[in-house]
């Protein structure tokens, strides 16, 4: 089956920026929704952002706590998605994972990890103090 592969994580100082990328490898997903989740040690996995394609358009959802610092973009035809992260803070330190499903999720389900069928291995983002 197809897998998702993330890249772009690393170590950055507070206030810095990183751009994460994710793309399918080994197959075509016919993607309906792709998303970024993150998980810090001792905490639950939580939604960062998601993008949903319908017809020729798309819409997005963000975690309220990010307050516009993060921007998701992607290409349905390429089964790829990016996450631009600006003004990073120490509390953003986590493993960031890419997820995808071929189904079109309603807005209220886009932040539920169990709705996604494909996951990447995760990429570490560390924001130093």
């Amino acid at each position: 089956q197809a897998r998702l592969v993330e890249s772009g994580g690393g170590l950055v100082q507070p206030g810095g920026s990183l751009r994460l990328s994710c793309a399918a490898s080994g197959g075509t997903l016919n993607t309906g929704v792709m998303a970024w989740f993150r998980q810090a040690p001792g905490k639950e996995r939580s939604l960062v952002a998601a993008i949903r394609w319908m017809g020729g358009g798309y819409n997005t959802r963000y975690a309220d706590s990010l307050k516009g610092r993060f921007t998701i973009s992607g290409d349905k035809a390429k089964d790829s998605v990016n996450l631009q992260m600006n003004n990073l803070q120490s509390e953003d330190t986590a493993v960031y994972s890419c997820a995808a499903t071929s189904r079109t999720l309603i807005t209220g389900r886009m932040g539920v990890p169990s709705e996604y069928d494909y996951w990447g291995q995760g990429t570490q983002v560390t924001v130093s103090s």
Side-chain angles (χ1 to χ4, degrees):
Q1 285 189 313
R3 285 183 166 84
L4 300 176
V5 180
E6 304 102 333
S7 63
L11 176 64
V12 65
Q13 294 182 341
S17 298
L18 286 173
R19 184 176 177 85
L20 306 182
S21 298
C22 172
S25 178
T28 301
L29 300 182
N30 189 26
T31 303
V33 183
M34 297 189 75
W36 289 96
F37 290 82
R38 68 184 185 183
Q39 186 169 25
K43 297 183 178 180
E44 295 182 348
R45 181 185 292 110
S46 61
L47 177 71
V48 177
I51 182 167
R52 175 178 63 196
W53 291 280
M54 298 184 68
Y58 67 91
N59 54 29
T60 58
R61 178 183 174 183
Y62 295 90
D64 291 339
S65 62
L66 298 180
K67 299 180 179 179
R69 293 187 295 115
F70 292 6
T71 303
I72 190 170
S73 62
D75 188 333
K76 174 182 172 64
K78 298 180 179 179
D79 291 328
S80 66
V81 67
N82 304 307
L83 183 70
Q84 179 67 44
M85 304 185 293
N86 297 326
N87 192 25
L88 286 162
Q89 307 297 311
S90 296
E91 55 265 34
D92 296 317
T93 296
V95 174
Y96 286 71
S97 298
C98 178
T101 177
S102 62
R103 295 180 292 121
T104 300
L105 304 176
I106 63 173
T107 302
R109 302 298 296 177
M110 293 172 67
V112 180
S114 62
E115 293 283 2
Y116 295 86
D117 305 304
Y118 300 93
W119 291 84
Q121 81 287 350
T123 184
Q124 178 71 48
V125 172
T126 302
V127 185
S128 66
S129 60

